[in-house]
Amino acid sequence: MTDINNKIREIAARLLKDKQVDLFMAWEKGELDYQVKPYFARTPEEADRMVFNDYCIQNLSNGLLKFRDGQEKIGIVVKGCDSRGIVRLLEDNQITRERLYIVGVCCPGMKDPLKAALNDSGFKKQSKDVPLADKCLKCRQPNPVIYDEILGQERVPDVAGERFSLVRDLENKTPDERYAFFEDILSRCIRCYACRQVCVACNCRTCIFDDT
Ligand code: SF4
Ligand code: SF4
């Protein structure tokens, strides 16, 4: 990871210095090791704050929506999942490919920051080793699907097992059971809209839920 981290910083500094991009999106360390967050560098010097470590789980692609109405050229680091988010934005005409310089990283899987926080809280001590996030355990696309340059060894996707067993369980329910299932799930929703904010497919300018 250190090697990839250094390469990301080098590439970002080079692109910003040569004015090939106006800003470069990656991650920076938060207060605690597992609190990594998105970071936008605008000068070569700022590239030194970038990190790539076990907790770079946030998908950066929907950060591009902040720039959809501008002209800036944007550098961005992507794992497999971020790269698929970019494909979605391109398909939805939210940004053009010419405005992007994409640095792909073959992803080793990311740890779950919520489990790390729980571990750290004293409420529920788990093993010292924080596990991979659930979404990474069965990742079918750890390698970027779109990029201008790529870092790291290509990973073998995990294609074993039944991927849609939960969907099949749902399909096997009667309509009433299915209704009860969703009613139970949605009964816990407090309408904070965090799910909308992180979803790359939620890119409508006016959201239907803002008016309801
Ligand atoms: S393992 Fe897959 S889902 Fe997990 S962060 Fe990497 S690319 Fe994304
Ligand atoms: S993240 Fe989405 S589903 Fe969860 S409480 Fe917030 S609005 Fe509801």
Side-chain angles (χ1 to χ4, degrees):
M1 289 255 191
T2 313
D3 193 30
I4 289 181
N5 194 163
N6 292 339
K7 284 188 180 143
I8 290 172
R9 288 180 184 180
E10 268 172 45
I11 294 168
R14 183 192 82 218
L15 294 172
L16 287 161
K17 183 163 172 274
D18 296 348
K19 308 226 177 298
Q20 273 181 269
V21 298
D22 299 296
L23 67 134
F24 193 96
M25 294 168 60
W27 300 268
E28 70 172 336
K29 205 166 156 285
E31 199 175 325
L32 299 169
D33 283 349
Y34 53 84
Q35 291 176 326
V36 171
K37 53 193 180 182
Y39 176 65
F40 302 174
R42 290 184 181 270
T43 65
E45 295 71 32
E46 286 175 355
D48 283 346
R49 278 176 60 178
M50 291 172 180
V51 295
F52 187 77
N53 63 24
D54 286 339
Y55 290 103
C56 290
I57 192 166
Q58 295 94 341
N59 190 321
L60 294 182
S61 60
N62 77 341
L64 290 170
L65 288 171
K66 292 183 199 304
F67 304 99
R68 62 180 157 186
D69 295 322
Q71 301 294 322
E72 300 100 326
K73 285 214 61 166
I74 303 165
I76 181 168
V77 184
V78 297
K79 312 177 295 293
C81 49
D82 310 64
S83 74
R84 286 152 61 208
I86 289 187
V87 169
R88 177 64 196 245
L89 292 178
L90 293 172
E91 285 180 344
D92 287 355
N93 293 320
Q94 297 301 310
I95 196 123
T96 56
R97 180 69 178 92
E98 298 69 48
R99 288 183 59 203
L100 303 177
Y101 189 97
I102 304 171
V103 179
V105 178
C106 299
C107 180
M110 293 290 146
K111 292 187 177 175
D112 188 331
L114 293 179
K115 288 186 181 142
L118 197 60
N119 230 2
D120 211 25
S121 69
F123 284 111
K124 194 175 174 192
K125 201 79 186 159
Q126 298 174 332
S127 76
K128 269 215 163 318
D129 287 333
V130 177
L132 286 185
D134 288 349
K135 75 166 186 171
C136 302
L137 289 174
K138 286 275 168 203
C139 178
R140 303 226 158 183
Q141 211 93 55
N143 304 309
V145 295
I146 183 170
Y147 54 84
D148 294 295
E149 57 187 294
I150 191 158
L151 304 175
Q153 282 288 329
E154 219 171 274
R155 302 269 160 179
V156 179
D158 182 355
V159 290
E162 166 60 90
R163 193 175 171 208
F164 291 108
S165 59
L166 292 176
V167 176
R168 217 169 313 287
D169 288 349
L170 204 52
E171 284 174 344
N172 288 336
K173 290 183 190 297
T174 64
D176 283 349
E177 287 169 340
R178 217 173 295 148
Y179 190 89
F181 172 84
F182 283 114
E183 198 172 39
D184 177 49
I185 296 271
L186 294 175
S187 69
R188 281 168 268 155
C189 175
I190 55 169
R191 304 192 84 179
C192 69
Y193 297 139
C195 53
R196 178 189 66 180
Q197 294 310 109
V198 298
C199 176
V200 77
C202 282
N203 57 44
C204 299
R205 286 172 189 272
T206 305
C207 175
I208 187 173
F209 296 114
D210 284 335
D211 292 333
T212 56

